[in-house]
Amino acid sequence: MSLANQHVNVAMMTSGGLAPCLSSSISQLVHHWSKALSEGKISGLTFIMYIDGYKGVLTGDSFELPQDVWSKCDALNYLGGSPIGNSRVKLTNIKDCLARGFIKEGETPLEVAAQQLMKDKINVLHTIGGDDTNTQAAELSKYILDKHGGKVVVIGMPKTIDNDVYPIHQTFGADTAAHQGALYFENIVSESTANPRMLILHECMGRDSGYLTAATALCYRERLSKQTFVEGFTTSKESRDVHAIWIPEVSLDLKKEAARLKQVMDKHGCVNVFFGEGTGIEEIVKNMEAAGEQVPRDAFGHVALAKINPGAYFSSHLSELVGAEKTLVQKSGYFARAAAANGFDRDLIGKCAQAGVASAIEGVSGCMGQDEDKKGMPIRAIEFERIKGGKPFDIKQEWFVNMMKDIGQSV
């Protein structure tokens, strides 16, 4: 059902972990909806902002964005985090929603959320989040249609620094996060001069995909190539380079890698390893389960990586093998994901917001993005049933193959 020439009530929510795109997405959506109103494509417009993601939808915690603020929202393009707050809530996890006080005994999250959207007379819901957030929104929209005969157009905005959503070519925030992680390590690498035989383990986010780790390494090496060093001193481009990249998609023989890296340590007095937080998780989880330990998981059933601590695992296993006198584990994830969107991401978000508003007015739901399965990878509202997380990083890409060859690591 088309929304053309109608007053449209537009709701927005951000959900899941942070990414450098949440604030910019809201800014761009407000801009393009306002433009649709000024161009006469719709007759009226109201913005409802749900606070703290699905928590706000379940509890009715929201606010209406005053019209005199709409033009000021461009400033959000340059702000990190979310201006309306996030939370991790799964609408099909009744037990979790009940325990957290979002619903009452006997209620279901889907019904409570549906009633709230209908009470607020929402025509369009913009969900700014990862694959879980957007597929849940699709379930909610279907539930409203099937159970109540209502219609809420859902337009997802694909947020994840992991860049691991099928069939989307590039998710929002991933490029920014890679550049921010590189900036972070540009300072951290100086710690290699603080102690002889220093091992630095740089942990990047990425549960199932090595994209962010690889892209961060690429961005860092580009920054390193522009730095000037003075010959004769112990610190050099080679000592500050990335010496290893460990990601889930590349099999890791730790003893073999340690033998290679010990040679680097002997030559430069330091070793710098970039690794994804999901690397080696299966092995760590198996060891925990074999020992009878409980594996911590979040509301979605994902292993709680912060509590598993892969960095400590690699630190304890690698330090002795390479003869490190001191080991430093540093995580760039929170620094990188909390940044404001860069120019690349703002441009991508803007194009998706523009197409998303047009799709919503036409009454077509979907998750916005460059559709890899379509010729030319057009930006379109991708059918929710095709949206799926866990897309692995393609290690056959020329830039990655060349980088691995350059640092002397086999793939």
Side-chain angles (χ1 to χ4, degrees), residues 83-103:
I84 54 177
N86 279 26
S87 65
R88 290 186 181 275
V89 178
K90 189 170 185 177
L91 295 179
T92 53
N93 192 334
I94 298 176
K95 183 178 179 181
D96 181 65
C97 289
L98 186 63
R100 296 166 71 180
F102 301 154
I103 62 172

Side-chain angles (χ1 to χ4, degrees), residues 100-155:
R100 296 166 71 180
F102 301 154
I103 62 172
K104 299 176 182 177
E105 193 71 46
E107 294 180 331
T108 65
L110 279 171
E111 178 61 25
V112 171
Q115 290 292 341
Q116 188 63 53
L117 292 180
M118 290 188 294
K119 177 184 176 182
D120 294 338
K121 299 180 181 180
I122 300 302
N123 303 114
V124 179
L125 175 63
H126 286 290
T127 51
I128 307 165
D131 57 291
D132 285 326
T133 297
N134 286 302
T135 52
Q136 281 191 92
E139 288 183 30
L140 179 58
S141 178
K142 184 177 185 301
Y143 181 90
I144 292 174
L145 179 63
D146 293 346
K147 298 292 184 180
H148 301 282
K151 177 67 183 289
V152 175
V153 178
V154 177
I155 299 293

